[in-house]
Amino acid sequence: MSFSSDVKEEIAKHYPTARHCQLAELSAIISMCGSVSIDIYDRYKIKIVTENVVLARKCFTLLRKAFNISTEVVVKHNISTRRTTYYSLIIKNNADALRVLKAIKIIDMNYNMVVQQACCKRAFIRGAFLVAGSISDPSKSYHLEVVCSNEDNAKKLQNIINFFEIDSKVVQRKNHYIVYIKEGTQIVEFLNVMEAHVALMELENVRIIKEMRNSLNRQVNCETANMGKTISAAVKQIEDIKYISATVGLDSLSENLEEVARVRMQYPQASLKEIGTYLSPSVGKSGVNHRLKKISEYADQLRSGREEKE
């Protein structure tokens, strides 16, 4: 299964004990994948359609727990593909439908009454993600989104998510509005809000491994870059020493500079620290660097003088 499926499987098993949280989760589910119809006799009917059997099972159980309603369940297969299965939960009884709609505040459009407490906000987010959420494989990228049918629903969900100091954003994609999160730590917090602790630990483990790899890569790149600079510097030093030797001879240098020049030629791959240990008396890294700079300056002076004569 995908990581998204694992998350949904986990949160589907989480049933709130408090009725107000059950109502909040039902409010999210019915508002996002349910439909309400009224016949000519003003009788209400609720229909919830989903392809997710986990969601259908949870919705059925929540309705039974919160309202003691056993809904009618219809299973249909897509004739053309024969792969997609649709699960429809139908509340046909007018009194039951009205009880549900009034309790979850859909009938009077006062959604905020359902999500006043933090625990209810968590339940609402669980229901919304269960219906229309998805999360990418964390080993590849960090991206979580919930697809909403209209901007009002998206803004409402965004506000509820942001209550937990999670920086979610809304973007329009064709005829839908997407509430999304793209930062790894924020997605971890989102999973924590939904109480998907197993998925949270899995994502954290992936993040730790990725951070270790990135840190190692940065270290290797840094060491490679430093090695490249060291090699380039050594090549330039040897070229300068060879130029001095070919034009005026190394004995034209002071005793200290000549000693460093000959050691550098003898040990072309040695570091400055190593070169210092070959000198008598030994010299520190900064001292060796200073002497080699003097040699390079002298070589540049010789080149400049030769260019002027030419």
Side-chain angles (χ1 to χ4, degrees), residues 169-187:
K169 293 180 173 61
V170 176
V171 66
Q172 185 175 4
R173 186 188 298 159
K174 295 183 179 179
N175 296 325
H176 295 88
Y177 289 83
I178 314 300
V179 182
Y180 70 93
I181 305 168
K182 293 188 72 68
E183 212 276 315
T185 55
Q186 297 279 288
I187 294 175

Side-chain angles (χ1 to χ4, degrees), residues 5 8-9 29 32-34 48-59 73-78 80-89 130-132:
S5 299
K8 290 184 178 183
E9 190 79 36
I29 293 170
M32 297 187 75
C33 71
I48 302 159
V49 181
T50 178
E51 298 175 19
N52 189 341
V53 66
V54 171
L55 171 59
R57 188 185 303 122
K58 183 165 195 182
C59 190
V73 179
V74 178
V75 181
K76 290 185 178 180
H77 301 281
N78 190 311
S80 59
T81 62
R82 294 186 180 180
R83 291 181 181 177
T84 307
T85 302
Y86 295 98
Y87 303 90
S88 299
L89 282 73
L130 198 53
V131 173

